[in-house]
Amino acid sequence: MARDKVSAQCRSHFISTSLFMLAAGVSSAMAQTPADSIDGRTEALNAILPNYIDWQTAAMSGKLRMKKLPVSPSVRIFMRRNETISISVRASLLGEVGRIDIEGDTLLAVNKMKRVYCKESLAGIKYDYPDIIGDIQSLLLGRAVALQSGELSEANADFFDFRSLPADSIHSEAAWSLTFPRGRSDEDEFGYEYRINSIGQTEKLTLELSTSDHELALALDYTYLDKGFDLDISFTRDFNKKFDALIEFNDIDWEANAPSPVSLNSRFTRVGIKQFISSF
């Protein structure tokens, strides 16, 4: 029973984080105005862009650590560029206990412990935001993204405000700040900021979204090691922390094989998304 509760918590948190990314992307309002004079832009791009190697498939494996969990389940994320994201959660002695698959226009979430699944169309979201899969992949890889314009490049750099940071910045040890959308003010409903270190790696992403009902914030902190990196995720709703986790990733496998499809038989019951979430 304890293992069931732990596994359910893990899957719930991953689903909540993934859906928040989707909602934040769809709710964004972009102010795409040409740049005139931008502090640190050339130096920043020269440091950042060489890190963005081309890829077709990638897999990231690691351990999920949370204060409230007595164990650390394994997580494996497989990605096919711009097409597929598969998140598998495995528990010791139990094997795979949950899966989230985003493939094309479909999201499939499976709770293997309760033998229920949810299958939802993403056609509406992708109509408004066709590049959402690629942008989520870039976030997982620690790459800067201009929403609805793809990964940071020379072509879309004008959508950001670039700012050089002093070496003794009280906020971080980053060398540059990239803020989106360009010219963002405190009155804007949506915006985010990247902090980039001196060798072009993303240190931190801070995203804020205001709606008529809620204030949402997502913070991703990246810590780079000799092999792999740590990703610290913090999600806040109405100024109260709702989710906080650390994923310790190993080196990225850039020629990964896709996982086997989830096997659903007559013992699994399809439910709506609200009932699926309540199953935890």
Side-chain angles (χ1 to χ4, degrees):
M1 183 66 66
R3 287 196 186 106
D4 287 2
K5 186 175 180 181
V6 168
S7 302
Q9 271 189 294
C10 298
R11 295 191 303 279
S12 178
H13 290 319
F14 268 94
I15 292 171
S16 297
T17 303
S18 298
L19 293 180
F20 171 72
M21 288 182 179
L22 298 177
V26 171
S27 302
S28 66
M30 302 199 329
Q32 300 179 354
T33 55
D36 296 317
S37 175
I38 305 178
D39 179 25
R41 168 178 154 163
T42 300
E43 293 82 2
L45 292 177
N46 288 341
I48 296 169
L49 297 185
N51 293 309
Y52 292 3
I53 63 171
D54 193 20
W55 64 281
Q56 295 304 316
T57 62
M60 307 160 66
S61 299
K63 287 284 188 180
L64 171 65
R65 303 194 185 278
M66 298 177 64
K67 291 180 180 179
K68 295 182 180 181
L69 294 181
V71 297
S72 298
S74 299
V75 177
R76 185 179 188 271
I77 302 174
F78 169 82
M79 301 183 294
R80 181 175 290 108
R81 191 165 192 174
N82 299 322
E83 295 180 11
T84 304
I85 301 174
S86 179
I87 303 174
S88 174
V89 180
R90 304 179 68 87
S92 178
L93 304 179
L94 296 176
E96 185 176 65
V97 294
R99 177 88 73 88
I100 300 173
D101 285 344
I102 302 174
E103 179 79 36
D105 291 342
T106 303
L107 182 147
L108 172 67
V110 182
N111 179 338
K112 288 191 173 182
M113 303 302 294
K114 297 295 181 64
R115 294 179 180 170
V116 297
Y117 71 97
C118 175
K119 191 172 185 179
E120 298 290 336
S121 172
L122 301 178
I125 293 175
K126 293 192 70 178
Y127 178 82
D128 292 323
Y129 189 175
D131 299 326
I132 191 168
I133 291 180
D135 285 357
I136 293 175
Q137 291 172 340
S138 295
L139 290 179
L140 291 169
L141 294 173
R143 300 183 177 191
V145 169
L147 285 181
Q148 298 189 2
S149 186
E151 239 169 48
L152 175 66
S153 66
E154 293 277 1
N156 62 26
D158 286 353
F159 297 159
F160 290 91
D161 275 325
F162 284 71
R163 182 165 59 93
S164 297
L165 299 176
D168 59 350
S169 170
I170 62 173
H171 300 291
S172 73
E173 297 179 356
W176 299 281
S177 165
L178 280 62
T179 305
F180 181 97
R182 183 171 179 265
R184 181 191 178 205
S185 69
D186 293 337
E187 288 73 35
D188 289 336
E189 294 181 350
F190 176 81
Y192 57 89
E193 178 192 21
Y194 287 96
R195 296 271 172 155
I196 309 292
N197 67 24
S198 61
I199 58 175
Q201 297 170 318
T202 299
E203 273 190 356
K204 187 179 185 71
L205 167 64
T206 305
L207 180 151
E208 297 174 347
L209 172 65
S210 297
T211 70
S212 58
D213 299 319
H214 299 290
E215 296 286 335
L216 307 176
L218 176 69
L220 304 179
D221 287 271
Y222 303 82
T223 302
Y224 301 92
L225 310 171
D226 290 339
K227 291 186 177 181
F229 66 96
D230 292 348
L231 176 58
D232 197 337
I233 306 168
S234 178
F235 172 51
T236 301
R237 175 176 172 176
D238 299 330
F239 309 105
N240 293 315
K241 187 170 288 186
K242 296 298 182 181
F243 173 61
D244 194 5
L246 174 69
I247 311 177
E248 299 173 344
F249 285 117
N250 301 317
D251 281 344
I252 299 172
D253 179 1
W254 295 108
E255 297 181 355
N257 294 320
S260 300
V262 177
S263 178
L264 298 175
N265 53 40
S266 59
R267 294 181 298 173
F268 283 80
T269 302
R270 182 173 181 174
V271 297
I273 189 165
K274 291 184 179 179
Q275 187 177 348
F276 181 83
I277 293 173
S278 67
S279 72
F280 299 113

